[in-house]
Amino acid sequence: MNLLTKDMMLELLSVNEGTCISLYMPTHRAHPNNLRDPILFKNLLRNLKESLLKKHSESEVEILLDPFVALESNKEFWRHTLDGLAVLGTVDTFRTISLPVPVKELTVVANSFHTKPLRRYLQSVERYNVLGLSLHDFQIYEGNRHSLTELELPSDTPKNINEALGYDLTDKHTTVASYGGIGNQTSNMHHGQGGKSDEADIDTEKFFRFVAKTINDNYSGPSGLPLILAALPEHHNLFHKVSNNLSLLPSGIDVNPKSVETDELVKHAWKVMEPYYNENIAKICNEYDQAKSKDTASDNISEVAVAAAAGKVDTLLIESEIQIPGKIINETGSIEKGDLANPEVDDLLDDLGELVTKMGGKVMIIPHEKMPTKTGVAGLFRY
């Protein structure tokens, strides 16, 4: 099972020919609720088969759905789900993506993958990272207002201070010298390069520098997500001092994350994150209102589609809970409404988001109550 990354998203967006199958469903992390997940998956497979048979023969459908059917009976897979699941496949490709957010039941067959729920996750302004830091080790989490999921560090990454510093640990660097003893006797005496407290401070700073670089290089840099530090109060100042991470929020959580339950840590994290979330939403909505007054923005989906095809959309806002059946039918951005039951019809907003992304624009998925328009779309133009 995979957690979604930007690179994986670009991979999925590059698939645009043949029959692309997209299945989304909510899942559960724990027993006994997760026992229902394979049953729901089987029902959704039935929907997919009906849709595929409108265009393909029985034998072709069997080949396309074979990996989906195999997944249905994989008991180990269903024991390790999170809150949502995406299963995407073509005749040559098969992907399962676990999401730490719930998604609605949905099956789509089209000539490209339906990626709006995935972009909603990647482009949601609710997402953030939490760095759990102690004097000895660290963990990195990804979260939203509802949940936190611990992420796996790269396999070759040191996980604690001993692995990170090794023989550079200051308190291992003692020297041996001979000192004159009583009656001209000599004895070997061990002494360090400073007191134990000084050595510990040096080791802590080295370790915190290592952690700061690791998190910036592998997580904050690639994702740009806000980073919340969770550590004992006395460790915050030093970590901020040694870190040059532009995503590190000035406010943090004054607790060792290992000392509290995950649900409690989520509450602490969202209390820190919520003001930045609201500020980010308000800022982009204000930018849209200002651009609209200057005729450099639109909430008309036809106008936005034409601008997107011309590479003119700088930022696209899409309402998270709305679907508009249809597709973009040519290179000029003309649109055609349709029916999702038709294998060749996808969500028009999904197609529009893909187009803007491919043309180098930014796409943000906005909750209904925060959306600055009533049409489900808002486009800010480059010129």
Side-chain angles (χ1 to χ4, degrees):
M1 185 172 293
N2 302 291
L3 279 172
L4 185 66
T5 65
K6 283 185 176 180
D7 287 343
M8 194 186 302
M9 187 77 241
L10 291 174
E11 234 180 85
L12 295 173
L13 289 175
S14 69
V15 179
N16 57 8
E17 54 185 57
T19 300
C20 297
I21 302 170
S22 306
L23 182 153
Y24 293 88
M25 59 177 280
T27 51
H28 302 83
R29 296 181 183 231
H31 185 86
N33 289 334
N34 62 2
L35 295 176
R36 305 197 303 266
D37 297 342
I39 299 172
L40 174 58
F41 183 76
K42 185 175 183 178
N43 292 335
L44 293 174
L45 281 188
R46 194 176 296 120
N47 296 343
L48 278 174
K49 185 172 182 178
E50 291 175 3
S51 183
L52 285 165
L53 284 171
K54 294 178 180 179
K55 188 178 179 181
H56 298 276
S57 67
E58 284 273 2
S59 59
E60 289 173 331
V61 171
E62 185 177 339
I63 293 171
L64 284 164
L65 290 184
D66 185 58
F68 289 82
V69 173
L71 185 66
E72 177 197 336
S73 58
N74 186 335
K75 294 181 180 179
E76 188 64 21
F77 174 89
W78 295 106
R79 290 193 189 105
H80 300 284
T81 50
L82 296 178
D83 304 303
L85 176 67
V87 186
L88 309 169
T90 67
V91 70
D92 299 315
T93 304
F94 187 72
R95 285 274 195 180
T96 59
I97 301 170
S98 184
L99 297 169
V101 293
V103 291
K104 290 185 176 181
E105 300 170 26
L106 179 66
T107 57
V108 176
V109 179
N111 59 4
S112 63
F113 287 126
H114 177 84
T115 58
K116 183 184 174 185
L118 300 180
R119 282 203 310 277
R120 180 189 178 193
Y121 164 66
L122 274 184
Q123 296 159 350
S124 170
V125 289
E126 291 185 3
R127 292 172 64 219
Y128 58 86
N129 286 135
V130 171
L131 169 62
L133 181 66
S134 73
L135 290 175
H136 306 290
D137 57 18
F138 68 104
Q139 307 81 39
I140 183 71
Y141 304 83
E142 183 172 317
N144 54 59
R145 71 169 72 203
H146 303 294
S147 65
L148 269 179
T149 300
E150 185 172 352
L151 304 179
E152 288 189 13
L153 293 165
S155 58
D156 59 347
T157 300
K159 309 299 191 296
N160 55 56
I161 190 170
N162 291 319
E163 292 179 4
L165 302 189
Y167 287 104
D168 285 338
L169 275 169
T170 306
D171 57 14
K172 287 184 178 180
H173 286 181
T174 57
T175 59
V176 180
S178 294
Y179 289 82
I182 298 175
N184 292 322
Q185 294 179 352
T186 62
S187 63
N188 290 336
M189 297 185 65
H190 294 259
H191 66 89
Q193 302 301 314
K196 283 291 182 184
S197 177
D198 293 336
E199 291 178 349
D201 288 346
I202 293 171
D203 288 340
T204 298
E205 182 169 336
K206 286 181 181 178
F207 180 54
F208 282 13
R209 286 186 187 279
F210 162 78
V211 173
K213 186 176 188 308
T214 298
I215 297 302
N216 195 33
D217 290 351
N218 293 283
Y219 300 96
S220 300
S223 74
L225 293 181
L227 177 66
I228 300 170
L229 175 62
L232 293 177
E234 58 267 30
H235 299 152
H236 282 254
N237 283 341
L238 177 58
F239 187 80
H240 277 264
K241 175 184 173 183
V242 301
S243 176
N244 60 0
N245 191 324
L246 299 178
S247 297
L248 180 61
L249 299 184
S251 303
I253 305 170
D254 292 335
V255 66
N256 184 329
K258 288 187 174 180
S259 68
V260 296
E261 296 292 332
T262 301
D263 288 348
E264 189 66 22
L265 190 59
V266 171
K267 292 178 183 176
H268 285 301
W270 188 248
K271 187 176 181 180
V272 173
M273 180 62 191
E274 189 171 21
Y276 297 94
Y277 163 76
N278 289 328
E279 181 182 340
N280 196 9
I281 291 280
K283 179 182 177 182
I284 190 64
C285 289
N286 184 55
E287 288 177 2
Y288 171 79
D289 290 338
Q290 290 184 5
K292 187 75 162 60
S293 68
K294 300 174 183 176
D295 292 325
T296 56
S298 176
D299 62 354
N300 182 296
I301 192 166
S302 297
E303 291 179 5
V304 175
V306 170
K312 291 183 178 181
V313 176
D314 177 75
T315 304
L316 177 69
L317 310 183
I318 295 176
E319 185 176 326
S320 61
E321 301 300 326
I322 192 172
Q323 282 186 304
I324 301 177
K327 58 183 179 178
I328 299 173
I329 60 174
N330 57 40
E331 294 180 354
T332 66
S334 296
I335 64 174
E336 181 179 90
K337 300 291 181 69
D339 183 348
L340 282 178
N342 184 334
E344 296 184 355
V345 173
D346 198 354
D347 177 11
L348 181 55
L349 295 182
D350 181 55
D351 288 348
L352 187 56
E354 285 187 13
L355 179 58
V356 170
T357 299
K358 289 176 180 178
M359 299 297 283
K362 180 180 180 181
V363 181
M364 297 176 66
I365 308 299
I366 305 293
H368 167 75
E369 66 275 12
K370 302 285 188 179
M371 193 71 183
T373 69
K374 296 181 180 180
T375 62
V377 65
L380 289 79
F381 304 147
R382 290 193 174 100
Y383 46 83

